[in-house]
Amino acid sequence: MKKTIGNLIHNESGISLMEVIASIIIITFILISFIKLFPLMGLKNNQNEDKQSAVNLVKSELNYWKTLIETSSDFNAFLQDPKNPTSFIDSSDVVTQSTNSIKIETTTKTRRSDFKLEIIIYVNPDINTSPKKAYQIHTKLLNIKNTPISEIYGYIFY
């Protein structure tokens, strides 16, 4: 029996304090690496939410302008001379004309911020049938630095 107790006292098959400390340090490094990923995932989620909001906003603006123009009575006069006042152009909107398009620059507001909006209407119809023609409309949403955030294309049937 004395030999058995002596063997237990001198038995070194257990874990040393250094091994325990080393494993705790390794686990701590692994956990810190994972914890650093959580703010990045939150940032990406916010960016994706902003992009989705921009896509939804530019879609609603396209539908708004299509409806506004298609229900107006002075779109043909606007195509001939965009500088004349029309029912769908606000006094604060900037209208410029090139050889094949008319650009309307305006602003739109959300709860978070203001955006610039460019509406480009191509004056030559893609489909030239009676009684309506299909004019392409290109809607761009820009941030304060004039960087495009989202854009969408559609048609005005007039």
Side-chain angles (χ1 to χ4, degrees):
M1 182 146 196
K2 214 171 195 186
K3 281 185 177 181
T4 311
I5 294 175
N7 286 341
L8 287 175
I9 293 174
H10 296 292
N11 186 2
E12 295 183 12
S13 63
I15 301 173
S16 71
L17 181 61
M18 290 302 288
E19 292 170 332
V20 170
I21 291 174
S23 61
I24 289 174
I25 290 173
I26 291 171
I27 290 173
T28 303
F29 282 134
I30 292 171
L31 289 176
I32 287 173
S33 299
F34 281 121
I35 289 174
K36 286 182 179 181
L37 291 178
F38 289 118
L40 291 176
M41 288 188 303
L43 177 65
K44 278 295 182 190
N45 285 342
N46 287 342
Q47 288 174 347
N48 288 336
E49 182 182 330
D50 290 344
K51 285 181 184 178
Q52 186 62 42
S53 297
V55 168
N56 290 337
L57 180 61
V58 79
K59 280 182 184 179
S60 67
E61 285 292 334
L62 174 69
N63 288 331
Y64 169 77
W65 280 90
K66 277 178 59 173
T67 305
L68 192 64
I69 292 170
E70 288 174 348
T71 57
S72 73
S73 61
D74 50 0
F75 182 63
N76 284 331
F78 174 73
L79 289 176
Q80 299 302 317
D81 187 10
K83 298 294 180 187
N84 285 338
T86 59
S87 61
F88 52 88
I89 300 294
D90 194 25
S91 61
S92 62
D93 297 341
V94 177
V95 179
T96 55
Q97 183 178 15
S98 68
T99 55
N100 64 346
S101 66
I102 300 169
K103 181 170 37 172
I104 305 165
E105 296 178 38
T106 186
T107 58
T108 185
K109 297 180 181 192
T110 62
R111 286 182 292 138
R112 288 182 164 172
S113 61
D114 296 347
F115 295 102
K116 290 183 178 182
L117 190 67
E118 283 184 3
I119 299 97
I120 301 169
I121 302 168
Y122 295 94
V123 292
N124 298 322
D126 284 352
I127 301 172
N128 195 358
T129 60
S130 290
K132 293 187 177 188
K133 298 175 184 175
Y135 296 93
Q136 188 178 25
I137 182 172
H138 177 196
T139 308
K140 270 196 236 183
L141 190 67
L142 308 165
N143 64 10
I144 297 170
K145 299 174 186 174
N146 282 337
T147 307
I149 299 172
S150 184
E151 59 186 327
I152 191 169
Y153 293 86
Y155 282 96
I156 299 170
F157 296 99
Y158 193 84

